[in-house]
Amino acid sequence: MSLFMTQFSYTSDSIAKLMESPHDRAAAVEAHLKQIGGKLLGFYYSFGDYDGLVIYEAPDAGAALSLVSAAFSTGFTKTSKTTQLFSEKEGEQAFQKARGIAIQLP
């Protein structure tokens, strides 16, 4: 499983709907993740450039893209940004492999 973080911003209409009827959005996200074989690790609201973020596992980048595309197609969000995350150990291994790659400058 691969780890991802998707940051999102709601439309103003979506925020109005959430204010009228607050409910557990994490449960809905978790249900959608199960459809692609993923797992919810965290759902957070924030302020700044994004209204919230979701940290989750997905089988691969294609599955994550499918989920984000489906969510974005609803019109509930106006922007999103998805980043694949790597554990410290995965980063360490990548840096070790990078030592063996000879890059020649033009």
Side-chain angles (χ1 to χ4, degrees):
M1 293 283 253
S2 297
L3 189 61
F4 297 90
M5 172 183 65
T6 297
Q7 297 167 281
F8 59 88
S9 296
Y10 290 126
T11 65
S12 57
D13 288 343
S14 298
I15 291 173
K17 288 178 185 176
L18 289 169
M19 289 171 58
E20 286 174 19
S21 179
H23 57 282
D24 184 359
R25 294 300 305 150
V29 171
E30 187 170 35
H32 299 313
L33 278 163
K34 286 181 181 178
Q35 292 179 35
I36 63 160
K39 178 181 177 185
L40 178 66
L41 301 178
F43 182 101
Y44 303 93
Y45 284 112
S46 59
F47 45 88
D49 292 337
Y50 297 96
D51 296 320
L53 64 98
V54 180
I55 298 176
Y56 57 98
E57 291 179 338
D60 53 42
L65 177 60
S66 298
L67 177 68
V68 171
S69 297
F72 202 70
S73 73
T74 65
F76 206 71
T77 55
K78 64 180 174 181
T79 58
S80 69
K81 175 182 177 182
T82 299
T83 305
Q84 187 168 0
L85 304 174
F86 300 91
S87 70
E88 188 281 329
K89 188 70 172 174
E90 290 170 320
E92 181 183 331
Q93 291 170 349
F95 293 137
Q96 287 174 355
K97 287 180 183 179
R99 287 191 314 213
I101 300 172
I103 303 292
Q104 294 188 352
L105 297 175

